[in-house]
Amino acid sequence: MITVYRPKWTSGRYHKIGNERKALLYNKMEGMSFLFEEDSADIINEVLKYEVDEPIPIPSLIKIGKEEYLEDDIIVFCNDLINFGLLTLKIFDSTEVSRIRKIVSEQRKNEINTVEKTIQEKLPFEISSAESDYSKFIEKDGIPLSVMIELTYNCNERCIHCYNPGAARNNNEKSERGLLKELDYNDYVSLIKELKELGVAKISLTGGEPFIKNDIWKLIELIHKQDFSFDIFTNGLALIDNVDKLIQHFPQSVRLSVYSADEEIHDSITRIKGSLAKTLKVASVLQKNGVPIYFNCPIMKNNLSSYHTVSDLAKKYSALAQFDVNLTDSLDGNIAISQQLQVSNKELEILLRDPNIPLYVGKEAPDFGKKTLQIDEPFCGAGINLFNITPEGNVTPCNSFPTSFGNLKDKSFKDIVSGSEILKKWQNITVKDYEECGAYEQCWYCNRCPGQSFIEHGNPLKKSTANHNLAKVRCELAKKIEDGNDPLDGKNPYEVLNGNVILMTTKVKSVKAHKNHRNNTLKLK
């Protein structure tokens, strides 16, 4: 009789509602997730009862509760799990793990660099995934799939577009990031254990810069031991001498901030000389060890002429480039970012013709990028399948939606998400409850963010100026293309953008144009 093991690069969760059962299992080595249902979910639940590298005798999987399965069927099932890297036939030492990492690294390199995707394959059409399917299931019991933890707003870069409260975006401003009384390690010990008991599967660590937080390594060790999948958002500067230490804890992904392959442009945005070189040094070590990497790149005036170089740079490091054309203003009411860094509508029109941009408009997209508003569904999962925790312990819908449902210093996470009346009201808000949604033709081209509306108005149901403008540009662009008036006129979008005069040294000065709504109580109809 064979014995199998759950390798240290796996984590997962199981949930049951009535007779319906589902399980989610992560292969963090490869950045993949797998969904199991009914009997197979019960078997995965049994597997998850064993610690990593603890022997799992096959007989323990044959008889589970009142169910008894055929030995041959269990062996076939286990072999499938072994093929996906979710079980092993032995315990792998560090040398063997390193060998596997190199294989994964080569596989990822080949996938990214040898397979040329079509425009349709690049576009983010809504698809079902193991995570999304499991999330919808546990959502019925009020359990979020993921929690983002903002460990600190302090940072070792000084980015001109930072939306964290207290950030200084030019040399004449004084940073107020360090004024908050942050949660300490003991607070996080209680939180992490509670999140596991609740059934949360995934944690995202961000900041500021998470690797300048005290006890960051103790926290990562705790998250790993409590069987979470975790992502981490970082610029890499404080990680540069400890990348191997992070790799040992098997992050599901590492998301690095990269603004251009041009060192001068990137460093002018971070305002830290040599920052790109340091970030890429971290990316190089991660790549060699097969860790899934993303290069996150918001597009602004300062990198408009060279943002596209991030795509080729990402391929060099076996990373995926993720672009964002809609900048977020500061959570403390400062609108300098949208006023001074947001690209013009004319430039935005050209950007939206780039198939690497998620909000691409073109004939290859269904209805040129138009989508049907589902009036009885929420706009996003913020405050439903996703929550955020600020450095001082406020539980918010997400990191760009700064209303607080409660503070962890006063109540437990479970009590906050299950006992807040205003949260319950928010979770029942659907598209039809938003002001002006569906009132304009461009509404079917909108990628609305309630958080941006809240930052601007103190009310997530009001129309966001930025979202409304982007929808209008997309709608008008779709009409032009459909009428045969493509603004690219057969040219490459990068060539068109580089043909314009672009100010790459925009100086950002504070503009407090509206009230600071951060941590205000959410007001709903």
Side-chain angles (χ1 to χ4, degrees):
M1 184 68 69
I2 63 171
T3 297
V4 292
Y5 302 82
R6 181 163 72 90
K8 55 181 70 73
W9 56 80
T10 60
S11 68
R13 294 289 183 263
Y14 168 89
H15 194 65
K16 181 178 180 181
I17 301 177
N19 292 323
E20 194 174 2
R21 297 95 70 202
K22 293 184 189 292
L24 182 68
L25 199 55
Y26 289 96
N27 178 337
K28 297 184 285 187
M29 177 87 80
E30 299 186 32
M32 299 179 69
S33 57
F34 300 83
L35 181 73
F36 301 86
E37 299 177 296
E38 311 313 330
D39 287 352
S40 65
D42 291 337
I43 297 170
I44 294 300
N45 182 43
E46 197 66 26
V47 168
L48 289 171
K49 291 177 182 178
Y50 290 84
E51 298 291 333
V52 295
D53 289 343
E54 182 182 357
I56 306 172
I58 290 295
S60 70
L61 305 180
I62 292 176
K63 185 171 177 56
I64 301 175
K66 296 180 181 180
E67 297 294 332
E68 187 166 353
Y69 304 102
L70 294 175
E71 181 180 330
D72 288 348
D73 290 342
I74 293 298
I75 291 174
V76 169
F77 183 69
C78 288
N79 281 332
D80 288 339
L81 296 179
I82 290 169
N83 290 334
F84 286 117
L86 301 172
L87 286 181
T88 59
L89 290 171
K90 65 174 185 177
I91 299 173
F92 288 89
D93 60 26
S94 58
T95 301
E96 291 171 309
V97 171
S98 295
R99 177 183 59 81
I100 296 172
R101 287 190 185 282
K102 290 178 182 178
I103 294 172
V104 171
S105 176
E106 284 302 310
Q107 289 174 340
R108 184 167 287 112
K109 182 178 179 181
N110 291 335
E111 288 172 3
I112 288 177
N113 293 299
T114 63
V115 179
E116 184 60 34
K117 292 184 178 180
T118 64
I119 290 180
Q120 288 89 343
E121 289 172 326
K122 289 181 180 180
L123 296 178
F125 299 145
E126 189 172 337
I127 58 172
S128 175
S129 69
E131 273 193 338
S132 64
D133 288 350
Y134 186 75
S135 178
K136 289 175 183 176
F137 178 62
I138 63 174
E139 181 186 311
K140 298 174 185 177
D141 272 348
I143 302 171
L145 174 79
S146 177
V147 171
M148 176 172 278
I149 302 177
E150 296 178 290
L151 293 173
T152 181
Y153 288 141
N154 292 316
C155 190
N156 47 9
E157 290 186 334
R158 300 177 295 154
C159 295
I160 59 175
H161 64 289
C162 182
Y163 62 81
N164 284 160
R169 300 171 191 89
N170 64 60
N171 294 334
N172 296 321
E173 292 180 354
K174 183 179 179 180
S175 172
E176 297 179 348
R177 291 174 184 259
L179 300 180
L180 297 175
K181 186 175 173 140
E182 299 177 350
L183 298 178
D184 60 25
Y185 176 69
N186 289 331
D187 294 321
Y188 288 119
V189 170
S190 300
L191 172 65
I192 298 305
K193 291 180 178 178
E194 185 184 5
L195 293 180
K196 181 176 181 179
E197 290 174 4
L198 187 60
V200 174
K202 190 173 186 178
I203 289 175
S204 295
L205 298 177
T206 186
E209 172 49 49
F211 284 101
I212 64 174
K213 174 73 173 178
N214 291 337
D215 296 321
I216 178 63
W217 292 110
K218 287 170 63 178
L219 181 55
I220 288 175
E221 174 72 19
L222 176 64
I223 290 170
H224 179 58
K225 283 187 175 179
Q226 291 294 328
D227 227 16
F228 286 93
S229 164
F230 79 96
D231 300 318
I232 194 153
F233 295 72
T234 176
N235 58 44
L237 272 60
L239 179 60
I240 199 163
D241 295 323
N242 289 294
V243 188
D244 288 336
K245 194 172 181 180
L246 175 62
I247 291 168
Q248 291 170 14
H249 294 92
F250 300 96
Q252 180 81 358
S253 72
V254 177
R255 297 169 186 259
L256 297 165
S257 301
V258 179
Y259 307 113
S260 172
D262 185 313
E263 189 170 14
E264 184 178 352
I265 293 175
H266 174 95
D267 291 359
S268 73
I269 292 173
T270 66
R271 295 195 291 144
I272 298 293
K273 190 172 180 58
S275 57
L276 178 62
K278 291 178 180 178
T279 297
L280 295 181
K281 185 175 180 180
V282 169
S284 178
V285 179
L286 293 171
Q287 178 201 31
K288 290 174 183 176
N289 287 276
V291 178
I293 312 169
Y294 291 83
F295 282 0
N296 290 348
C297 179
I299 302 172
M300 62 197 91
K301 289 181 179 179
N302 295 51
N303 66 348
L304 182 58
S305 64
S306 67
Y307 81 89
H308 63 278
T309 61
V310 174
S311 290
D312 287 337
L313 188 64
K315 287 183 179 179
K316 181 179 177 182
Y317 291 92
S318 304
L320 294 174
Q322 292 191 325
F323 298 100
D324 191 356
V325 298
N326 198 0
L327 300 181
T328 299
D329 273 321
S330 175
L331 304 189
D332 57 18
N334 194 319
I335 62 169
I337 298 168
S338 64
Q339 293 294 306
Q340 299 169 43
L341 294 178
Q342 183 68 49
V343 301
S344 70
N345 283 358
K346 184 177 180 181
E347 293 162 338
L348 186 57
E349 193 175 65
I350 303 301
L351 277 174
L352 294 169
R353 294 291 292 120
D354 180 355
N356 290 310
I357 301 298
L359 296 177
Y360 173 84
V361 176
K363 62 183 180 180
E364 300 86 357
D367 289 330
F368 294 87
K370 182 179 180 180
K371 64 179 182 181
T372 303
L373 283 175
Q374 304 296 329
I375 63 171
D376 291 321
E377 293 182 3
F379 265 107
C380 68
I384 301 173
N385 53 43
L386 164 71
F387 283 89
N388 178 68
I389 296 170
T390 68
E392 67 270 41
N394 289 325
V395 177
T396 70
C398 82
N399 61 332
S400 59
F401 190 168
T403 189
S404 176
F405 298 122
N407 190 284
L408 294 175
K409 294 173 184 174
D410 303 320
K411 293 181 179 180
S412 69
F413 181 85
K414 183 178 180 180
D415 286 344
I416 291 172
V417 299
S418 64
S420 169
E421 290 303 317
I422 191 66
L423 174 57
K424 290 177 183 176
K425 288 182 180 179
W426 167 249
Q427 291 172 335
N428 288 316
I429 291 290
T430 59
V431 172
K432 67 177 181 294
D433 298 309
Y434 286 76
E435 296 181 15
E436 301 185 70
C437 277
Y440 308 95
E441 187 178 4
Q442 61 259 32
C443 288
W444 280 264
Y445 294 87
C446 188
N447 191 51
R448 183 165 186 162
C449 171
Q452 286 189 306
S453 295
F454 182 81
I455 291 169
E456 182 177 355
H457 304 292
N459 184 343
L461 306 183
K462 286 186 175 293
K463 179 178 68 181
S464 158
T465 301
N467 294 164
H468 184 76
N469 180 69
L470 178 56
K472 184 178 179 182
V473 173
R474 294 186 75 230
C475 179
E476 292 175 352
L477 176 58
K479 285 182 181 178
K480 288 180 182 180
I481 298 170
E482 196 168 6
D483 293 339
N485 299 315
D486 189 341
L488 286 185
D489 194 25
K491 297 177 183 177
N492 185 301
Y494 318 132
E495 293 174 357
V496 176
L497 289 170
N498 279 316
N500 297 332
V501 177
I502 300 170
L503 185 63
M504 295 193 306
T505 56
T506 306
K507 302 296 183 183
V508 184
K509 297 180 181 179
S510 289
V511 181
K512 288 286 185 75
H514 57 72
K515 183 181 177 183
N516 176 5
H517 299 295
R518 176 172 147 78
N519 297 334
N520 281 4
T521 301
L522 191 63
K523 292 182 176 65
L524 300 171
K525 294 177 180 177

